[in-house]
Amino acid sequence: TEGEDKPLKYPHMFAASKLMILNKVDLLPYLNFDVKMIAYAKQVNPTIEVIQLSSQNGEGLQQWLDWLKAQER
């Protein structure tokens, strides 16, 4: 919740990343946070994959597990 500007503030970290996990998305309706962070991350790194994850309701969990398994190959 520190801000959606992190990809622009720390571009080297996002440019070097293959995956960005946006966690706790079940809280989005209650927070002052804009998911334009995803657009900022893709601006810095057009090939970055993004998974929106909620451990509360399981959203995105299978996608993350599939991504991890694919990295083993």
Side-chain angles (χ1 to χ4, degrees):
T1 60
E2 293 180 17
E4 57 274 335
D5 65 333
K6 295 306 174 223
L8 301 178
K9 193 171 184 180
Y10 305 107
H12 298 293
M13 179 174 61
F14 286 85
S17 298
K18 293 181 181 179
L19 176 69
M20 178 179 86
I21 295 177
L22 184 57
N23 194 20
K24 300 182 182 180
V25 295
D26 50 298
L27 294 177
L28 288 174
Y30 310 105
L31 300 173
N32 184 20
F33 184 85
D34 192 334
V35 293
K36 64 183 170 187
M37 177 183 200
I38 296 170
Y40 291 154
K42 292 200 174 269
Q43 180 180 331
V44 171
N45 179 353
T47 63
I48 196 168
E49 292 182 57
V50 179
I51 297 175
Q52 295 188 49
L53 184 67
S54 168
S55 59
Q56 185 74 18
N57 64 22
E59 177 185 347
L61 189 57
Q62 188 60 53
Q63 187 181 358
W64 184 30
L65 293 173
D66 293 343
W67 188 91
L68 289 171
K69 286 180 186 177
Q71 302 313 300
E72 293 178 342
R73 298 180 197 142

